């Protein structure tokens, strides 16, 4: 199944992400073109220009579940071209991916949140003479999905969301919710708030948004681990979405694809703009357009503006990074890591994301990503 959305915004700023669609749940099929031989003797794919030179054996990677379907597409095309090479990406969570990376059990990790200073310090034990760095690969909106019988249009703002997920607002007909939804019939029903059970970059990004926009009601430092008391936990974005889908009165957070594929209604966010903003890839792109590189050296972590009040800008967004060593990668997997990530960051690799409804990284930043990959040691 492919979810296609139009993206009318061309982001030209250095940190802009031209978001062309929401993440999709089911991996879309792609042609398995027969491998050919390029002018340099490297085996390439005629459609994707995948270069297998230096790739060998098995490459293990793990982390972010948000990018699972992107990885499914990339791995399928890559392995169809590079015979004898196996890439195995385990979609678990950003936290588990970083742990695996810093334990040296994977060639790279996927994370929806950039490495923290202590994680960078820990990575130096594995990255001999180097450290872990963040390479942005894909971005998109985080949806607030809900299940409330009889209510198909719901607006919330950051303070109200914070109070809901913090257990301070317990009923759907609470005056704070009613004030934001005048004319709606809200039931006297208990709110069932669901969050991720494992360390999650999606959780961290929600925390960054709430900390930036509703600090008085969300007194927690943004972390991958869920910080607030109460609520109910579920594993992965798929698990949270499944619970919201099944439980009347439920609310939770997950990538937009999970809401789209399961027909889960999503909350519009009152940002202070003229009208509440719907969770969509095009609206997320308007918020992400102000992103700037905040990492130093070879690290390409991005800074996002969660407080934007720009018209039509959906502020609750994330960027998924591939985490690698800038220097000191394992010799037996370095060639495959460079070959595979060169493909994912290539114009062809990014175009596949756009065609499948993902959010590609803009050319200005992506050129820096490709340059960094080429220099990995």
């Amino acid at each position: 199944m492919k979810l296609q959305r139009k993206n009318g915004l061309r982001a030209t700023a250095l940190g802009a992400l031209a978001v062309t669609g929401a993440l999709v749940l089911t991996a879309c099929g792609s042609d398995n073109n027969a491998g050919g031989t390029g002018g340099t003797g490297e085996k390439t794919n005629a459609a994707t220009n995948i270069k297998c030179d230096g790739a060998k054996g098995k490459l293990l990677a793990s982390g972010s579940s948000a990018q699972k379907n992107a990885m499914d597409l990339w791995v399928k095309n890559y392995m169809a071209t590079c015979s004898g090479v196996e890439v195995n990406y385990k979609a678990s969570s950003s936290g588990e991916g970083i742990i695996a990376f810093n334990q040296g059990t994977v060639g790279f990790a996927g994370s929806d949140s950039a490495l923290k200073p202590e994680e960078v310090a820990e990575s130096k034990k594995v990255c001999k003479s180097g450290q872990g760095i963040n390479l942005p690969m894909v971005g998109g909106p985080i949806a607030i999905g809900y299940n409330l019988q009889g209510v198909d249009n719901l607006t919330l703002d950051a303070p109200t969301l914070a109070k809901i997920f913090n257990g301070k607002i317990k009923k759907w007909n609470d005056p704070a919710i009613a004030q934001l939804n005048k004319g709606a019939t809200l039931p006297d029903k208990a709110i069932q708030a669901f969050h991720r059970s494992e360390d999650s970059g999606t959780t961290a990004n929600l925390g960054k948004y709430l900390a930036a926009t509703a600090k008085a009601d969300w007194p927690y430092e943004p972390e991958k681990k869920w910080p607030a008391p109460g609520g109910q936990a579920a594993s992965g974005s798929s698990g949270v979405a499944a619970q919201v889908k099944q439980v009347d009165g439920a609310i939770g957070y997950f990538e937009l694809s999970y809401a789209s594929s399961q027909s889960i209604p999503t909350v519009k966010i009152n940002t202070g703009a003229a009208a509440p903003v719907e969770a969509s890839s095009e609206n997320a792109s308007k918020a992400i357009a102000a992103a700037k590189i905040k990492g130093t050296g070879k690290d390409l972590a991005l800074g996002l503006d969660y407080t934007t009040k720009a018209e039509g800008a959906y502020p609750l967004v994330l960027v998924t990074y591939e985490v690698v060593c800038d220097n000191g990668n394992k010799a037996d997997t370095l060639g495959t890591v460079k070959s595979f990530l060169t493909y994912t960051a290539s114009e062809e690799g990014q175009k596949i994301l756009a065609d499948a409804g993902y959010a590609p990284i803009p050319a200005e930043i992506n050129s820096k990503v490709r340059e960094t990959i080429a220099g990995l040691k």
Side-chain angles (χ1 to χ4, degrees):
M1 181 181 73
K2 178 184 289 186
L3 176 63
Q4 295 179 322
R5 295 178 178 271
K6 294 183 178 179
N7 176 16
L9 176 68
R10 179 181 292 272
T12 57
L14 175 63
L17 292 178
V19 182
T20 58
L23 297 175
V24 291
L25 267 179
T26 54
C28 307
S30 56
D31 295 334
N32 289 332
N33 299 290
T37 302
T40 61
E42 297 172 338
K43 186 177 180 182
T44 63
N45 181 300
T48 58
N49 197 33
I50 297 173
K51 297 181 179 180
C52 309
D53 190 40
K56 60 182 180 180
K58 178 183 291 188
L59 171 62
L60 299 179
S62 68
S64 166
S65 60
Q67 67 170 8
K68 175 187 182 299
N69 300 300
M71 279 294 167
D72 286 347
L73 291 169
W74 285 328
V75 168
K76 180 180 179 181
N77 284 353
Y78 184 80
M79 289 177 55
T81 300
C82 301
S83 60
V85 180
E86 180 181 349
V87 179
N88 187 334
Y89 181 80
K90 178 183 177 183
S92 51
S93 69
S94 298
E96 291 177 35
I98 296 303
I99 289 172
F101 178 77
N102 281 341
Q103 290 178 340
T105 60
V106 296
F108 71 89
S111 178
D112 305 333
S113 184
L115 291 168
K116 296 185 293 187
E118 58 268 30
E119 292 171 336
V120 173
E122 185 72 14
S123 73
K124 294 179 180 180
K125 298 177 183 178
V126 173
C127 303
K128 306 301 182 183
S129 69
Q131 66 180 44
I133 57 173
N134 304 282
L135 302 177
M137 283 293 171
V138 63
I142 301 173
I144 304 296
Y146 69 97
N147 181 348
L148 192 58
Q149 190 172 359
V151 178
D152 56 9
N153 189 2
L154 184 68
T155 295
L156 299 173
D157 58 13
T160 307
L161 279 170
K163 291 173 186 175
I164 288 173
F165 283 114
N166 202 14
K168 302 299 183 183
I169 292 180
K170 301 180 182 296
K171 291 290 190 74
W172 279 110
N173 63 347
D174 187 276
I177 300 178
Q179 179 65 26
L180 292 164
N181 296 273
K182 294 180 179 179
T185 302
L186 299 170
D188 182 16
K189 184 183 294 292
I191 295 174
Q192 306 288 336
F194 287 90
H195 58 263
R196 294 281 289 273
S197 60
E198 74 285 7
D199 287 3
S200 160
T202 309
T203 295
N205 280 278
L206 174 64
K208 290 175 184 177
Y209 166 71
L210 294 176
T213 55
K215 185 65 175 177
D217 300 299
W218 193 257
Y220 311 106
E221 290 298 320
E223 298 285 351
K224 294 185 179 77
K225 184 177 181 63
W226 182 255
Q232 301 178 62
S235 178
S237 290
S238 59
V240 175
Q243 290 299 315
V244 172
K245 178 73 172 179
Q246 295 170 10
V247 178
D248 186 23
I251 189 170
Y253 59 93
F254 31 78
E255 292 72 36
L256 182 59
S257 62
Y258 294 93
S260 300
S261 66
Q262 300 185 51
S263 300
I264 298 172
T266 61
V267 168
K268 294 179 181 178
I269 295 182
N270 183 339
T271 63
V277 186
E278 182 180 2
S280 74
S281 48
E282 182 176 355
N283 290 344
S285 71
K286 297 175 184 177
I288 299 174
K292 299 182 184 301
I293 294 175
K294 66 176 183 180
T296 59
K298 295 182 179 180
D299 183 71
L300 300 178
L302 300 179
L304 301 171
D305 180 11
Y306 297 101
T307 64
T308 180
K309 295 182 180 180
E311 297 299 327
Y314 184 81
L316 186 45
V317 294
L318 62 76
V319 171
T320 296
Y321 302 95
E322 312 313 331
V323 176
V324 297
C325 297
D326 59 354
N327 194 30
N329 291 278
K330 292 182 179 180
D332 59 342
T333 57
L334 175 59
T336 309
V337 167
K338 292 178 70 172
S339 172
F340 179 68
L341 294 184
T342 294
Y343 163 55
T344 67
S346 69
E347 290 183 9
E348 293 86 352
Q350 291 288 299
K351 184 179 184 297
I352 286 175
L353 296 185
D355 292 345
Y358 284 83
I361 301 300
E364 296 88 347
I365 292 178
N366 207 31
S367 65
K368 296 180 182 294
V369 173
R370 292 197 296 268
E371 179 182 347
T372 301
I373 293 170
L376 297 179
K377 297 178 181 178

